[in-house]
């Protein structure tokens, strides 16, 4: 049972990563005698490499699936990647750009061939990185959202929805990216606050010298205005509703309309309406039957305008329009204004709302079903605070724009009938798996497929079904056994992009939810709470952490901070602390194994004969119970903290120290007894630690259990019946005494090597018996050479005192320390503490400091102030010993 003195994380992690894959440790098959527990991984983009977000998400899923496997479930965690649509196409287009080419130079077929070459070469990098952090995925089931099986599922879903009348084509206002040249859904755009201006412009009344002043952030779209809108409750404009205005610079006649969506307090309360290039304006236009004039094309250039502006970019047009408005006397004033600007979530280009012919999916019916299963607790959010915004979003959800004008993705499986000259015949489009042989309407034989591809999230929404062969196999046992999955673990940023879509599709195609539990975690931030970004230089690379510390260290820190739903902060200190834990686990295990040498087989059946044994077993099962409760609510942070506290404090700091007394005993039965408890608890805590720190626990378990299953294939222990139900309370009394004596020793600067005597003034007879029976622990751990018990004892002169509810404990100092030197030291320390209190107090009273300093800095000063106060009180208390 040899263990190296120093833990070599690199060799251990390499060994076990290979072992699990080679031996298919985490492969799953249908077993009707066992209950399945299934997770499908949120498929990372093939462009991706492991970042902290991936590492967090994967670690949390892995912890959950590993624990469930220990509980005896037939666990399955399905790996895979997403084709990434725009993001992936952008990567390959950048490579082409370096060669001086565009995708159009290659053509669609050759470009897609290049895309597949790139994907096959680099697309699985993140999966390899997941192996490095110890993920227990079934590597025989790796799926890709554009592989053959997933493609069949996408076509089947589209065709069913199309034939049901849920998918339709329409020209509507969409979010358009002029860089990617594609439409985006509402949830694929990001917003950022931009410093800009608010321009106030005169709109003259047709039959009067009066005018209406309109405030706008987009003066360039004035060329496409078809109305001015006011709120019907705005008394300033009631008499003007219906009147005709002359559009500045254009001289087109437009009318004043009323609509409750207009904010009376924005600008002047009157707003310009450009239906073709603003979502709210488009809604107002629909309600008021306004003309829609398109003035910006897909490249962000001006169209359908006078020659002066035609072909200019939006920014160029803005400058010209503002200049012309000012010269024509229409510009009243300009004010600084911060407003929210929408950008493409992939390339950050400003979004242009445009009228565009697109494919849409009706979502009203699916959304109602999704709301029902949420309200009926068939799907449950952890934390529950996400339920309300989720339902609110579903209630206001517009039809989903599912088409994209790119080449990389699932091509829309719709075909158009062509005449002999190659023109569309006007026959209804046909949704089909393959090109039709004949048009059912005109019997034509020529067809062309739609050029668009589907939104990436369409195939992702089918993920919990498609990974089990839905769309490919008619009689599918795997789908029936593993679906619905058990839990979805994901970040809050894709609740709307993905979580809701999967529930909608699950209910639509399987008439069942895709998962019962939805565990939402936050995002990882730096130690100051800032979002990690390359521009800020605060990105923490998980691969660097693994190299510097270990994979177990990374996993422990991520688990420790993963309170459900909350964003979390990581720091170097956290990784150092976690590495210390791995060293502690290794060294404690070495201690136990070292004492097992030359010992015959110890008894697996624990027969506790000592208070310390009863106490540690009782504490372990209390820990075990807390861990199971925390897992039930997906509070991995609590799981981690509870395990850490038990192992470090109770097992190492206390029980191992208690055990040393009996380990050194000449009585072999007594020695075996304590070793049996040490081993039993070590094995049990290794099992609880294993989901969080799989590498080090697997290695130690193998040394402890050479002829048994690896820890990944073990099952959690059954609860032992304890002889002494009051062991925890009894041990608390012993520990309290030891801690108090240790504290006194420290405060009095008594060297660790000096044995001392103490006096117990008894205040509780029952506790006296407990202490007397276990005084060997007090003697050993508090370094006491003599103990005297009594009632109504007089406190000796120059003695330190500590009081509990059951005892007064006197520690005579004469002959132990130099009393006068101790007094002088305490007086010096209290002077320094008072100076610290004064310094921090002045800081906290400084208004300028409070106003300008970061919150974290102010908190540090407050902590220092409180610590100084406590130190002063404690030193005064100690000085009283000598008065």
């Amino acid at each position: 049972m040899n263990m190296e003195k120093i833990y070599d994380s690199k060799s251990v992690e390499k060994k076990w990563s290979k072992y699990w894959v080679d031996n298919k440790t985490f492969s799953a098959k249908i077993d009707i005698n066992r209950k399945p527990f299934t997770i499908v991984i949120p498929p990372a983009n093939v462009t991706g490499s492991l970042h902290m977000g991936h590492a967090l998400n994967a670690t949390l899923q892995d912890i959950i699936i590993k624990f469930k496997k220990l509980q005896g479930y037939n666990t399955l965690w399905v790996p895979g990647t997403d084709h990434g649509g725009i993001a992936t196409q952008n990567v390959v287009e950048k490579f082409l750009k370096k060669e001086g080419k565009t995708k159009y130079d290659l053509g669609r077929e050759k470009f897609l061939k290049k895309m597949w070459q790139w994907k096959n070469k680099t697309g699985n990098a993140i999966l390899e990185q997941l192996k490095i952090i110890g993920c227990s995925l079934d590597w025989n089931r790796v799926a890709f959202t554009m592989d053959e099986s997933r493609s069949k599922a996408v076509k089947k879903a589209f065709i069913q929805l199309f034939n049901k009348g849920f998918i339709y084509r329409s020209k509507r206002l969409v979010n358009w990216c002029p860089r990617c040249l594609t439409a985006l859904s509402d949830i694929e755009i990001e917003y950022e606050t931009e410093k800009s201006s608010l321009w106030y412009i005169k709109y003259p009344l047709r039959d009067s010298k009066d005018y209406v002043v309109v405030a706008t952030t987009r003066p360039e779209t004035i060329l496409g205005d078809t109305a001015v809108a006011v709120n019907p409750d705005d008394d300033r404009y009631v008499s003007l509703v219906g009147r005709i205005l002359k559009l500045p610079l254009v001289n087109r006649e437009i009318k004043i309309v009323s609509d409750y969506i207009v904010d009376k307090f924005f600008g002047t309360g009157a707003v310009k309406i450009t239906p073709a290039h603003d979502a709210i304006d488009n809604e107002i236009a629909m309600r008021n039957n306004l003309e829609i004039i398109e003035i910006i094309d897909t490249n962000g250039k001006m169209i359908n305008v006078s020659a002066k502006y035609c072909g200019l970019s939006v920014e160029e047009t803005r400058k010209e329009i503002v200049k012309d408005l000012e010269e024509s006397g229409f510009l009243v004033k300009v004010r600084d204004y911060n407003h929210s600007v929408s950008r493409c979530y992939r390339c950050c280009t400003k979004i242009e709302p445009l009228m565009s012919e697109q494919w849409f999916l009706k979502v009203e019916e699916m959304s109602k079903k999704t709301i029902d299963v949420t309200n009926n607790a068939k799907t449950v959010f952890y934390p529950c605070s996400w339920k309300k915004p989720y339902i609110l979003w579903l209630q206001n959800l517009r039809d989903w724009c599912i088409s994209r004008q790119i080449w990389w993705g699932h091509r829309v499986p719709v075909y158009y009938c062509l005449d002999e000259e190659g023109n569309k015949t006007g026959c209804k489009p046909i949704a089909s798996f393959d090109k039709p042989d004949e048009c059912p309407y005109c019997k034509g034989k020529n067809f062309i497929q739609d050029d668009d591809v589907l939104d990436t999230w369409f195939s992702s929404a089918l993920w919990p079904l498609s990974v089990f062969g839905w769309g490919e196999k008619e009689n599918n046992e795997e789908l029936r056994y593993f679906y619905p999955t058990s839990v979805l673990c994901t970040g809050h940023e894709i609740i709307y992009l993905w979580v809701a879509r999967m529930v909608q599709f699950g209910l639509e195609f399987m008439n069942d939810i895709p998962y019962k539990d939805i565990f939402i975690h936050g995002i990882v931030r730096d130690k100051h709470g800032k979002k990690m970004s390359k521009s800020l230089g605060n990105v923490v690379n998980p691969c660097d952490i693994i190299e510097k510390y270990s994979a177990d260290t990374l996993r422990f820190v991520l688990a420790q901070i993963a309170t459900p739903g909350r964003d979390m902060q990581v720091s170097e200190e956290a990784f150092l602390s976690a590495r210390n834990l791995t060293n502690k686990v290794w060294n404690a295990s070495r201690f136990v194994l070292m004492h097992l040498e030359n010992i015959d087989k110890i008894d697996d059946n624990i027969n506790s004969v000592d208070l310390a044994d009863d106490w540690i077993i009782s504490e372990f099962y209390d820990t075990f119970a807390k861990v199971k409760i925390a897992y039930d609510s997906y509070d991995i942070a609590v799981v981690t903290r509870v395990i850490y506290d038990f192992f470090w404090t109770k097992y190492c700091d206390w029980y191992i120290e208690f055990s040393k007394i009996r380990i050194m005993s000449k009585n072999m039965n007594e020695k075996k007894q304590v070793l049996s408890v040490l081993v039993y608890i070590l094995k049990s805590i290794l099992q609880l630690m294993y989901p969080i720190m799989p590498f080090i626990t697997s290695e130690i378990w193998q040394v402890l259990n050479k002829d048994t299953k690896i820890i990944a294939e073990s099952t959690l222990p059954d609860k032992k019946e304890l002889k002494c139900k009051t062991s925890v309370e009894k041990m608390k009394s012993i520990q309290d005494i030891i801690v108090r004596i240790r504290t006194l020793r420290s405060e009095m600067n008594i060297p660790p090597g000096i044995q001392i005597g103490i006096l117990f003034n008894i205040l509780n007879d029952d506790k006296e018996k407990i202490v007397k029976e276990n005084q060997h622990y007090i003697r050993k751990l508090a370094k006491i050479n003599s103990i005297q018990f009594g009632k109504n004892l007089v406190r000796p002169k120059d003695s330190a005192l500590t009081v509990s509810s059951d005892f007064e404990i006197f520690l005579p100092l004469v002959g132990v320390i130099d009393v006068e030197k101790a007094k002088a030291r305490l007086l010096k320390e209290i002077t320094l503490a008072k100076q610290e209190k004064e310094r921090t107090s002045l800081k906290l009273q400084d208004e300028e400091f409070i106003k300008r300093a970061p919150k974290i800095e102010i908190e540090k000063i407050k902590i220092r102030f409180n610590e100084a106060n406590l130190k002063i009180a404690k030193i005064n208390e100690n000085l009283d010993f000598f008065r």
Side-chain angles (χ1 to χ4, degrees):
M1 289 193 177
N2 291 326
M3 287 175 66
E4 297 294 330
K5 188 173 182 180
I6 305 297
Y7 175 55
D8 181 2
S9 62
K10 287 184 174 59
S11 64
V12 168
E13 287 170 7
K14 186 177 180 181
K15 165 189 168 181
W16 285 103
S17 292
K18 186 176 186 304
Y19 178 93
W20 294 323
V21 174
D22 290 350
N23 290 275
K24 300 181 180 179
T25 303
F26 306 115
S27 293
K29 294 179 182 178
I30 294 170
D31 184 348
I32 58 172
N33 297 314
R34 295 168 68 203
K35 189 175 179 180
F37 188 93
T38 316
I39 300 177
V40 291
I41 198 169
N45 282 359
V46 288
T47 56
S49 59
L50 195 70
H51 59 60
M52 270 299 179
H54 291 136
L56 170 70
N57 184 256
T59 297
L60 295 178
Q61 290 174 83
D62 193 44
I63 289 169
I64 293 164
I65 206 86
K66 278 183 164 75
F67 184 74
K68 289 297 179 180
K69 187 174 177 68
L70 290 176
Q71 286 186 307
Y73 286 87
N74 186 19
T75 56
L76 170 61
W77 186 18
V78 182
T81 52
D82 192 282
H83 61 280
I86 298 169
T88 310
Q89 181 162 314
N90 281 349
V91 170
V92 177
E93 284 191 79
K94 285 177 183 177
F95 286 124
L96 287 177
K97 190 176 181 181
K98 290 177 182 177
E99 298 172 9
K101 298 177 183 177
T102 70
K103 65 179 182 179
Y104 301 107
D105 294 325
L106 273 69
R108 186 168 193 149
E109 191 177 334
K110 287 184 178 178
F111 177 76
L112 287 176
K113 186 178 179 181
K114 201 165 191 70
M115 290 289 306
W116 277 105
Q117 287 172 347
W118 180 89
K119 183 269 169 187
N120 292 333
K121 184 179 179 181
T122 64
N124 289 329
I126 195 164
L127 296 180
E128 294 304 311
Q129 289 170 324
L130 292 178
K131 292 176 184 176
I132 291 170
I133 63 171
C135 289
S136 50
L137 290 146
D138 185 344
W139 297 107
N140 296 318
R141 294 174 178 267
V142 177
F144 174 54
T145 54
M146 272 179 64
D147 63 24
E148 187 179 354
S149 182
R150 263 45 66 187
S151 293
K152 287 178 180 178
V154 167
K155 287 178 181 178
K156 180 178 180 179
F158 185 96
I159 292 166
Q160 284 188 17
L161 293 167
F162 182 90
N163 292 338
K164 197 174 180 179
F166 277 22
I167 289 177
Y168 63 95
R169 193 160 176 83
S170 176
K171 188 171 186 178
R172 292 189 175 188
L173 191 78
V174 297
N175 305 302
W176 186 267
C177 175
R179 154 64 183 78
C180 299
L181 294 177
T182 183
L184 299 171
S185 68
D186 291 343
I187 46 182
E188 289 177 305
I189 59 176
E190 295 176 344
Y191 294 89
E192 68 175 25
T193 301
E194 180 179 88
K195 289 183 179 180
S196 184
S197 300
L198 197 58
W199 288 269
Y200 290 75
I201 305 165
K202 290 180 185 178
Y203 280 57
L205 285 158
R206 181 183 65 182
D207 52 359
S208 167
K209 290 184 179 180
D210 290 333
Y211 53 83
V212 173
V213 176
V214 168
T216 180
T217 59
R218 296 203 67 183
E220 69 278 7
T221 62
I222 196 170
L223 304 174
D225 285 1
T226 59
V228 165
V230 296
N231 191 296
D233 291 336
D234 195 333
D235 294 338
R236 295 171 294 176
Y237 301 111
V238 170
S239 63
L240 293 176
V241 174
R243 296 278 294 276
I244 303 300
L245 298 165
K246 289 279 191 175
L247 186 62
L249 303 182
V250 182
N251 210 32
R252 184 169 64 242
E253 291 187 352
I254 61 174
K255 66 178 179 178
I256 301 174
V257 298
S258 64
D259 198 292
Y260 281 108
I261 202 169
V262 177
D263 181 358
K264 293 188 292 183
F265 305 103
F266 173 77
T268 62
V271 295
K272 58 191 283 302
I273 302 302
T274 319
H277 301 288
D278 183 272
I280 293 175
D281 292 3
N282 191 264
E283 289 178 25
I284 293 173
M286 295 299 106
R287 287 191 286 269
N288 290 275
N289 197 28
L290 300 176
E291 183 183 4
I292 297 175
I293 301 172
E294 298 175 49
I295 60 166
I296 303 172
D297 70 5
T298 55
N299 293 298
K301 305 291 185 182
M302 304 305 288
I303 56 171
N304 301 325
V305 294
S306 64
K308 179 177 182 180
Y309 308 116
C310 195
L312 295 181
S313 70
V314 169
E315 293 299 326
E316 289 167 340
T317 306
R318 176 178 294 185
K319 291 175 184 176
E320 291 299 317
I321 290 287
V322 170
K323 178 184 170 186
D324 292 346
L325 286 170
E326 189 170 18
E327 289 177 354
S328 303
F330 292 113
L331 188 62
V332 178
K333 61 181 178 180
V334 184
R335 294 283 182 268
D336 290 340
Y337 186 71
N338 293 339
H339 71 125
S340 186
V341 175
S342 57
R343 294 186 179 273
C344 174
Y345 81 125
R346 287 304 179 192
C347 70
C348 295
T349 302
K350 283 185 182 178
I351 293 297
E352 282 297 342
L354 300 177
M355 298 298 294
S356 179
E357 190 89 14
Q358 299 288 340
W359 288 101
F360 291 89
L361 172 63
K362 294 178 182 177
V363 295
E364 184 178 2
E365 186 179 314
M366 288 191 285
S367 293
K368 284 179 180 177
K369 290 179 181 178
T370 303
I371 291 168
D372 286 344
V373 296
T374 308
N375 283 330
N376 295 332
K378 289 182 179 178
T379 55
V380 180
F381 276 93
Y382 296 87
C384 61
S385 56
W386 282 105
K387 176 183 173 182
K388 188 175 179 180
Y390 175 75
I391 289 175
L392 185 64
W393 180 79
L394 286 164
Q395 289 171 337
N396 293 283
L397 187 58
R398 296 187 294 180
D399 286 355
W400 178 10
C401 176
I402 57 172
S403 49
R404 299 291 180 267
Q405 288 64 54
I406 57 175
W407 290 350
W408 176 245
H410 293 278
R411 194 166 176 179
V412 173
V414 167
Y415 295 85
Y416 304 97
C417 178
L418 303 178
D419 60 24
E420 291 180 359
E421 295 176 359
N423 299 315
K424 290 181 182 178
T425 61
C427 294
K428 288 182 180 179
I430 303 163
S432 174
F433 277 91
D434 302 300
K435 185 184 287 189
D437 295 324
E438 183 179 83
C439 175
Y441 307 106
C442 72
K443 307 304 179 183
K445 305 290 185 182
N446 296 326
F447 294 91
I448 187 171
Q449 188 174 356
D450 195 286
D451 279 334
D452 291 349
V453 301
L454 291 168
D455 178 6
T456 306
W457 297 99
F458 190 96
S459 53
S460 297
L462 291 166
W463 189 246
L465 293 76
S466 65
V467 295
F468 299 118
W470 182 88
E472 188 176 28
K473 304 171 189 172
E474 289 301 320
N475 186 22
N476 193 331
E477 289 183 22
E478 284 218 331
L479 188 60
R480 289 198 298 271
Y481 181 75
F482 290 115
Y483 185 96
T485 65
S486 305
V487 59
L488 174 73
C489 174
T490 188
H492 56 66
E493 68 276 13
I494 55 172
I495 288 177
Y496 311 126
L497 274 168
W498 191 45
V499 177
R501 304 296 194 200
M502 284 190 287
V503 179
Q504 288 174 329
F505 277 20
L507 293 170
E508 178 66 26
F509 299 117
M510 290 291 294
N511 198 31
D512 200 356
I513 54 174
Y515 31 72
K516 183 176 189 315
D517 295 341
I518 303 169
F519 168 29
I520 303 296
H521 59 73
I523 62 173
V524 184
R525 298 179 179 273
D526 71 8
K527 64 180 180 181
H528 301 298
K530 292 181 179 178
K531 192 172 181 178
M532 292 186 188
S533 71
K534 290 179 182 177
S535 60
L536 290 175
N538 63 347
V539 173
V540 178
N541 186 328
C543 295
D544 293 342
I545 297 299
I546 292 170
E547 180 64 27
K548 186 175 180 180
Y549 297 104
S550 71
D552 282 334
T553 295
L554 172 70
R555 291 171 62 102
F556 184 86
V557 170
L558 293 174
Q560 191 178 38
I561 60 178
T563 301
R566 294 184 190 173
D567 288 353
M568 55 213 79
Q569 297 167 220
V570 292
S571 65
E572 192 77 14
E573 293 78 15
F575 294 116
L576 283 167
S577 176
R579 184 174 63 183
N580 291 342
L581 174 63
T582 60
N583 291 336
K584 189 87 165 177
V585 172
W586 189 258
N587 292 333
S589 302
R590 281 189 74 246
F591 170 82
V592 175
L593 286 161
M594 179 178 66
H595 288 284
L596 287 173
E597 290 178 9
N598 304 318
I599 298 285
D600 294 336
K601 181 174 169 49
I602 57 173
D603 194 351
D604 289 334
N605 297 315
I606 302 204
N607 298 305
S608 55
V609 295
D610 189 89
L611 172 63
D613 297 342
D614 280 339
W615 169 75
I616 196 64
I617 295 168
S618 181
E619 287 285 10
F620 171 75
Y621 282 105
D622 180 60
T623 297
F624 192 6
K626 288 175 181 175
V627 164
K628 286 195 282 189
I629 290 168
Y631 268 114
D632 288 342
S633 59
Y634 302 102
D635 198 336
I636 308 303
V638 167
V639 169
T640 309
R641 286 194 293 270
V642 168
I643 292 171
Y644 178 95
D645 178 63
F646 174 82
F647 176 76
W648 192 291
T649 305
K650 291 166 184 171
Y651 185 68
C652 293
D653 288 356
W654 285 108
Y655 187 71
I656 285 182
E657 294 305 310
F658 288 147
S659 72
K660 288 176 181 177
I661 300 171
R662 288 187 290 156
I663 281 177
M664 303 313 293
S665 171
K666 292 179 181 178
N667 183 326
M668 187 54 69
N669 288 333
E670 187 177 12
K671 188 171 185 174
K672 282 186 175 182
Q673 165 61 30
V674 70
L675 283 170
S676 71
V677 177
L678 275 167
V679 170
Y680 176 78
I681 297 297
L682 178 59
K683 286 182 180 180
S684 300
I685 198 63
L686 286 174
Q687 286 179 299
L688 290 191
M689 282 183 170
Y690 159 72
I692 302 164
M693 305 170 76
F695 294 103
I696 191 169
T697 51
S698 294
E699 185 69 10
I700 296 168
W701 181 272
Q702 188 187 36
V703 178
L704 278 167
N705 303 271
K706 284 191 179 295
D707 302 322
T708 59
K709 294 177 181 177
I710 61 172
I711 195 169
E713 293 170 343
S714 67
T715 52
L716 290 166
D718 296 324
K719 186 169 182 177
K720 300 289 181 183
E721 285 299 319
L722 304 181
K723 289 181 179 179
C724 182
K725 302 292 184 183
T726 59
S727 59
V728 172
E729 286 304 313
K730 288 180 179 179
M731 184 54 76
K732 274 183 183 177
S733 298
I734 303 302
Q735 290 169 327
D736 180 56
I737 290 167
I738 292 168
V739 169
R740 288 176 181 277
I741 296 171
R742 284 174 169 176
T743 302
L744 280 182
R745 291 184 65 116
S746 173
E747 289 170 354
M748 294 296 108
N749 261 13
I750 299 172
I754 293 180
Q755 296 279 324
I756 57 173
I758 56 169
L759 288 77
F760 279 89
N761 194 30
I762 298 164
L763 307 175
N764 183 318
D765 291 338
D766 291 336
K767 291 293 173 72
E768 178 189 5
K769 183 184 177 186
I770 295 168
V771 173
K772 283 183 174 178
E773 287 175 351
N774 295 280
Q775 62 177 288
H776 55 295
Y777 288 133
I778 299 170
R779 288 175 180 270
K780 179 70 175 176
L781 273 67
K783 297 188 177 176
I784 305 297
N785 56 12
S786 68
I787 299 178
Q788 180 183 335
F789 294 91
K791 293 182 180 178
N792 303 316
L793 294 176
V794 177
R795 178 181 172 186
K797 185 185 177 185
D798 289 336
S799 65
L801 164 70
T802 184
V803 181
S804 72
S805 57
D806 307 303
F807 301 97
E808 285 181 333
I809 303 172
F810 305 135
L811 196 165
L813 299 171
V814 176
V816 176
I817 60 171
D818 186 319
V819 173
E820 292 305 315
K821 279 187 179 179
K823 287 180 187 177
R825 177 180 57 80
L826 291 171
L827 289 169
K828 184 178 179 181
E829 286 180 6
I830 201 168
T831 301
L832 293 172
K834 286 177 178 178
Q835 289 171 354
E836 172 71 352
K837 180 182 176 181
E838 179 67 18
R839 277 193 300 272
T840 52
S841 177
L842 287 171
K843 274 273 189 186
L844 295 172
Q845 292 172 44
D846 184 342
E847 291 181 7
E848 282 300 308
F849 171 76
I850 298 298
K851 192 186 297 180
R852 295 179 182 178
K855 284 184 180 179
I856 193 167
E857 203 57 41
I858 295 169
E859 283 305 310
K860 285 179 182 177
I861 298 296
K862 285 180 180 178
I863 291 168
R864 284 171 52 194
F865 176 80
N866 291 332
E867 286 176 346
N869 260 335
L870 288 171
K871 192 167 186 179
I872 290 165
K874 177 54 70 176
I875 294 171
N876 276 326
E877 187 181 303
N878 289 337
L879 283 169
D880 286 341
F881 295 156
F882 302 113
R883 290 174 185 147

